[in-house]
């Protein structure tokens, strides 16, 4: 069975946008309920996750561990509310599970964890590790002669970790055409704007310099995202990366481009405003 | 007595494991030194070269393992430590069966000097839940125990040594070894000497010397630091009533630390620890350094007498 999906934009883009809106509501509700978590980077990533999960990934909520599934690896594991919200939409977890976010004994751990949540394939939480893991998964797929693909999501701040570039070099050396990366380039990291913490300059040229195929897109334009996913599948002779330009906190006015909402939950009043904006 | 280096046993184990098509070798450039290169030569299709990138090596191995492969990843012991957090968060925490081998452990590594002499690896990996930590004493036991690791469904760290030391086992005697069970090499009731790695042969020499002085000792090859063989330590506490631990490692946190923790919580009795006493190594021949650092056969004999006097 081929894992490739002919996207051709046959999907109902309006429905994908609506799904992302529902996910955004769950993201702000989850973080509010927990009085903790990372709404900003979840809201920047969610449009990409909705597109990937709804149109591309060969995965089955009835059989989350089926051997030939595609793998989605959320390397920026603090964006767990985004992952949980789409896993709920896909039927991997229940709405009650969403309520267990950051609660002792709940399956929705603070950072995504493969040992706790069905549908999660990587235990993240420490930045810089997911690309190496995705490389290992991709090498295994090649050795198996399988057409399954790996999709790794990184943050732009995360690119400051040296291990990312160790893996980037190795992926090109091993010509892993089944390894696909999307950088959620929201320009903000924990303390401040990336440009104030450690400027990354031209991210696309860095990846090109390492030998990757590179494309850029608007990470909130569903049609552009679908085109980018299609493009990732078209690159088979080497690893490919999409630099998705996003807005941290996208969809909630007071969270947008606001470093304060990297790792802070909305209070009661802020939740009400956010849910009103996300109607 | 034949001399052999435990790292050679790691290389030969990989060759024997190659019949399992799921076994893969992951390297960060030092295959010539760790001896994983033996596998590379015969099975290049299942050897993954990552260049000098230990952090990457740990997570690539984790990705392979979650896809059904059995990765054996090696570099120098000291360079595995560079990727400690990757081992902690990416391998031990999700309990992924990656088998890490750190060669060139201890000051016996010699003339490369302190930067290459890991004296803390056993201590740090022992702190991780899910990890098995072994440090065999010769090539034959390293081969035998490494082959056992392949059937484990949890991660492990194996320390091997660079230089040759007297061989402890033969093909027959090695078959009694089991991960998690210390091996009694000599029996006596005056003192228990618990050793690992290249120090096992020193412990046996010390035991011979003690015997010539009328002191009977039990020598244990405690090749598995974690899980530690509590049952055997309990028996020896009853039988001997005092212990000497001997390791080419810091006396803090390794074999001596593990034995001390168990004894003090369960059956306090006198213990002397032989090892590197909270300082770094230096360039020199391994045997010279052992004498300088108080880790020679004579020091073991002396510590045994001291600990007996404390009973």
């Amino acid at each position: 069975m081929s894992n490739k999906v002919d996207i051709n934009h046959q999907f109902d883009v309006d429905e994908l946008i609506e799904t992302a809106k529902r996910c955004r509501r769950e993201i702000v509700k989850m973080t509010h309920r927990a009085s903790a978590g990372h709404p900003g980077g979840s809201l920047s990533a969610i449009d990409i996750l909705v597109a990937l999960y709804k149109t591309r990934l060969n995965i089955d909520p009835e059989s989350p561990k089926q051997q030939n599934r595609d793998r989605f690896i959320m390397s920026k594991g603090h964006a767990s509310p985004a992952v949980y919200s789409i896993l709920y939409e896909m039927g991997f977890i229940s709405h009650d599970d969403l309520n267990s976010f950051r609660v002792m004994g709940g399956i929705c751990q603070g950072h995504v964890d493969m040992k706790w949540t069905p549908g999660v394939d990587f235990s993240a939480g420490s930045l810089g590790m997911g690309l190496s893991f995705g490389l290992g998964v991709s090498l295994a797929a090649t050795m198996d002669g399988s057409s399954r693909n790996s999709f790794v999501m990184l943050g732009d701040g995360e690119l400051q970790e040296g291990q990312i570039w160790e893996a980037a070099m190795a992926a090109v050396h091993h010509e892993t055409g089944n390894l696909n990366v999307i950088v959620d380039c929201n320009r903000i990291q924990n303390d401040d704007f990336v440009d104030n913490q450690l400027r990354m300059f031209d991210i696309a040229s860095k990846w090109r310099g390492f030998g990757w195929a590179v494309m850029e897109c608007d990470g909130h334009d569903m049609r552009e995202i679908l085109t980018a996913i299609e493009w990732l599948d078209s690159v088979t002779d080497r690893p490919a990366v999409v630099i998705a330009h996003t807005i941290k906190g996208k969809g909630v006015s007071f969270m947008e481009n606001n470093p304060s909402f990297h790792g802070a939950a909305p209070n009661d009043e802020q939740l009400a405003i956010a849910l009103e904006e996300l109607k | 007595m034949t001399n052999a280096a435990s790292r050679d046993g790691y290389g030969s184990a990989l060759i024997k494991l190659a019949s399992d098509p799921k076994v893969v070798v992951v390297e960060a450039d030092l295959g010539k030194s760790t001896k994983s290169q033996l596998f590379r030569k015969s099975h290049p299709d299942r050897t993954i070269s990552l260049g000098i990138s230990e952090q990457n090596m740990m997570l690539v191995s984790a990705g392979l393992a979650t896809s059904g492969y059995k990765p054996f990843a090696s570099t120098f012991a000291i360079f595995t430590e560079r990727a400690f957090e990757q081992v902690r968060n990416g391998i031990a925490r999700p309990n992924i069966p990656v088998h890490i081998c750190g060669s060139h452990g201890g000051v016996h590594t010699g003339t490369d000097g302190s930067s290459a002499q890991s004296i803390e690896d056993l201590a740090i990996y022992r702190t991780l839940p899910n990890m098995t930590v072994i440090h065999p004493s010769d090539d034959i036991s390293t081969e035998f125990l490494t082959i056992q690791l392949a059937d484990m469904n949890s991660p492990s760290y194996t320390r091997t040594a660079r230089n040759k030391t007297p061989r402890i086992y033969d093909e027959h005697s090695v078959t009694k070894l089991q991960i998690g069970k210390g091996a009694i090499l000599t029996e006596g009731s005056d003192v228990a000497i618990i050793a690992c790695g290249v120090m096992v042969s020193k412990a046996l020499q010390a035991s011979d010397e003690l015997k010539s002085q009328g002191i009977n000792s039990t020598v244990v090859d405690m090749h598995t630091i974690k899980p530690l063989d509590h049952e055997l330590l309990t028996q020896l506490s009853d039988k001997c009533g005092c212990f000497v631990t001997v390791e080419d490692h810091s006396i803090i946190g390794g074999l001596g630390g593990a034995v001390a923790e168990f004894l003090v919580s369960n059956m306090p009795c006198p213990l002397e620890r032989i090892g590197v006493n909270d300082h770094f190594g230096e360039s020199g021949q391994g045997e010279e350094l052992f004498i300088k650092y108080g880790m020679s056969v004579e020091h073991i004999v002396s510590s045994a007498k001291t600990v007996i006097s404390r009973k």
Side-chain angles (χ1 to χ4, degrees), chain B residues 37 42 45-46 52 58 88 123 165 171 182 185 204 215 231 240 257 259 287 292 305:
Chain B
Q37 199 189 45
S42 52
D45 54 322
R46 281 192 276 141
I52 307 166
M58 297 305 177
R88 192 266 188 201
T165 47
E171 286 182 10
L185 301 177
L204 286 170
I215 298 169
E231 191 183 345
C240 303
V259 170
E287 297 297 328
K292 181 171 180 178
K305 291 179 183 171

Side-chain angles (χ1 to χ4, degrees), chain A residues 117-237:
Chain A
T117 318
V120 170
D121 273 326
F122 176 58
S123 294
S126 177
L127 294 174
M129 298 192 195
L131 184 54
S132 301
F133 186 88
L135 173 57
V137 166
S138 296
L139 290 167
T142 302
M143 286 193 286
D144 285 346
S146 165
S147 60
R148 66 179 183 265
N149 272 248
S150 315
F151 293 85
V152 180
M153 173 168 276
L154 307 173
D156 55 345
E158 184 180 12
L159 302 182
Q160 294 160 353
E161 287 282 7
Q163 188 182 349
I164 295 289
W165 304 103
E166 292 183 358
M169 271 187 283
V172 170
H173 175 80
H174 290 285
E175 300 173 358
T176 45
N178 54 357
L179 177 60
N180 309 286
V181 170
I182 299 167
V183 180
D184 174 14
C185 198
N186 63 30
R187 304 186 306 118
I188 292 174
Q189 56 193 99
N190 187 74
D191 281 4
D192 201 349
F193 288 92
V194 171
D195 277 351
N196 293 336
Q197 294 300 104
L198 185 79
R199 284 177 292 168
M200 297 302 293
F201 298 100
D202 185 352
I203 289 173
S205 73
K206 282 186 165 63
W207 288 96
R208 274 192 205 97
F210 277 78
W212 284 58
V214 183
M215 178 182 172
E216 301 193 52
C217 81
D218 178 340
H220 299 305
D221 182 314
M222 202 53 83
R223 285 181 179 79
E224 279 201 30
I225 296 169
L226 292 174
T227 301
I229 292 171
E230 209 171 5
W231 172 82
L232 283 171
D233 274 327
S234 74
V235 181
T236 55
D237 61 336

